[in-house]
Amino acid sequence: MRFVRWKAGVVAASAAGILASGVALAPAANADAFRCGSSGSDPRAWCAYVQKAPNGLKVRVKPSTSADIVYTLANGAKVEVDCWTTGTSVNGYNIWARLYSASGTRYVSDYYLTTGRIQSYVPHC
């Protein structure tokens, strides 16, 4: 029992030290896009997660908030991004991601994805 308390104390002290040093571990939902690997259509494709989308993220046929909605993705859903383009501004951000879809072209506002600066590594459509 004494060993368990000591180990818990070390873990708590280590966590406090990391936070005090200014190093913070970001939650997975705030991370940049990542290679899809074997879970994507192409191992080199980029994947990201939906985050902070009120009532889910609307998937549209064009990069516009007035375009038809095909379906809605829940926060935390993983998506495969083919490329990026510009479209209607969402909260002052006009970058949209084209999703990989065998059933046609689909777009989502990049504002609600964990892509970081998508223009730095994903090709323009």
Side-chain angles (χ1 to χ4, degrees):
M1 199 58 122
R2 186 177 296 169
F3 176 74
V4 173
R5 275 190 238 132
W6 177 83
K7 193 169 188 175
V10 170
V11 171
S14 297
I18 289 171
L19 292 175
S21 70
V23 175
L25 304 176
N30 292 329
D32 285 343
F34 55 92
R35 292 290 187 182
C36 297
S38 60
S39 69
S41 66
D42 177 341
R44 297 167 295 166
W46 291 98
C47 281
Y49 291 104
V50 176
Q51 68 174 356
K52 302 177 188 169
N55 305 312
L57 180 57
K58 310 294 188 263
V59 179
R60 301 178 181 271
V61 295
K62 295 180 181 177
S64 169
T65 55
S66 62
D68 290 341
I69 298 169
V70 184
Y71 54 90
T72 302
L73 294 165
N75 285 305
K78 183 168 73 170
V79 296
E80 185 175 337
V81 177
D82 273 350
C83 58
W84 67 272
T85 190
T86 56
T88 306
S89 177
V90 174
N91 294 323
Y93 191 67
N94 71 340
I95 304 298
W96 286 67
R98 186 172 78 192
L99 304 180
Y100 170 78
S101 173
S103 59
T105 305
R106 305 289 185 249
Y107 293 91
V108 295
S109 171
D110 187 58
Y111 183 84
Y112 296 110
L113 295 180
T114 59
T115 53
R117 184 157 168 77
I118 191 171
Q119 305 94 314
S120 299
Y121 54 88
V122 174
H124 188 270
C125 298

